[in-house]
Amino acid sequence: MSEELSTRQNRFNGSVPSIACLHNKDDHVVTENYEIVCKRCGVVLGIDNSQELATESTLNLFHEIEPGTKPVKMDCTKRTHEHRSDVSLFSNACDKLGLPRYCYLEAWSTYSKLRNNTSYSKAEIASFALFTASKRYSIPKSEKEIQDAIKMTFRVKRVPTMLKVFSRVKLTAQSLGISYSADSKSECYYLNLYLSREQQKLGSVIDFDLVRKKARTLFEAMSGTNDAKARKAVQIALGRCGGSSH
C-alpha cells in the first residue's frame, strides 16, 4: 500500500494531509489531538496540520457568530468572554473543551435549534449539543469533561446526567430534524476516549499505534455496547488480563 502523502479538501474544512488508505476517505476522522484516524481499522494515518496553517484571523465560535466582533489572534480567543449572551457562554464551553471548528459549529447549530424551539434548560441543551457533536466526530470528551465545562461557563451547580438529558431531549431533537450518532456508529468515539485517557497517563512508554490496532481488532470480536467493548478492548490491548482497569 502506497504511503505517499496527499493533500486534499474534505469535510474537515481545510487541507488535511492524509496517508493513502484501503478504506474510503469518508471513514477518516480527526481526533481532538488532530490525529487523522481511520474509524474502520483504527490506524493513525497522519496529522491534521490545518490548525497550523490557519491565519492570524482565525476565529472561535463567539467571534464568528456574535455581530460586531472583529477577527483576533487565536491566543486571544482562548480567553473567557465577559459577555453573557448564549453564544458567549457556549463559545466559552467549546474553548474549554478545545473543540475544533467543524465540531463547535455543528454543536452550536444543535444548541440554537433546541433553544429556539423548546423550554429545556441551557445546561441540558448544551450537554446534548456538545456530547452529540463530539461523538459524531469521534472526539474523546467524557461526560464529566462536558459537565465541568458547562458548570464553569454557564455558572450552574448541577448538570443532569447524559442519560437523563438524552431521555428528555432526543425525541424533540428528532422532530426538529437534528441527527445524532446512534450507538451503532460510535465505536471510534469510545475507542478514542479510552485510548486518550491511557495515553495521557502512560505517555510515550507504550507504542499506542500498536495498542490502537490491537484494540480495534479485539473490539470487532466482542459483544455488548460500544462503550463497554471499547473499554475492555483497550485494557486487554494494554496487557491487562481480562480487561481489568488496574
Side-chain angles (χ1 to χ4, degrees), residues 6 29 39 45 61 65 89 95 116 151 155 174 178 193 199 232 242:
S6 63
V29 294
K39 64 183 180 183
L45 301 168
L61 176 64
I65 303 297
L89 297 173
D95 286 348
N116 292 333
K151 286 178 183 177
R155 298 182 182 179
Q174 287 176 340
I178 298 172
L193 176 63
Q199 194 162 17
K232 188 172 183 179

Side-chain angles (χ1 to χ4, degrees), residues 227-238:
D227 186 356
K229 289 195 298 180
R231 181 171 58 249
K232 188 172 183 179
V234 169
Q235 294 300 318
I236 295 175
L238 287 168

Side-chain angles (χ1 to χ4, degrees), residues 81-89 122 153-155:
H81 315 300
E82 294 300 326
H83 203 290
R84 295 291 295 169
S85 68
D86 272 16
V87 65
S88 175
L89 297 173
K122 292 181 181 181
T153 57
F154 284 82
R155 298 182 182 179

Side-chain angles (χ1 to χ4, degrees), residues 3 7 12 50 56 61 77 93 100 116 134 137 144 191 227 237:
E3 292 189 351
T7 301
F12 300 116
S50 61
E56 289 188 342
L61 176 64
T77 67
N116 292 333
S134 297
Y137 292 108
K144 185 179 185 304
L191 281 171
D227 186 356

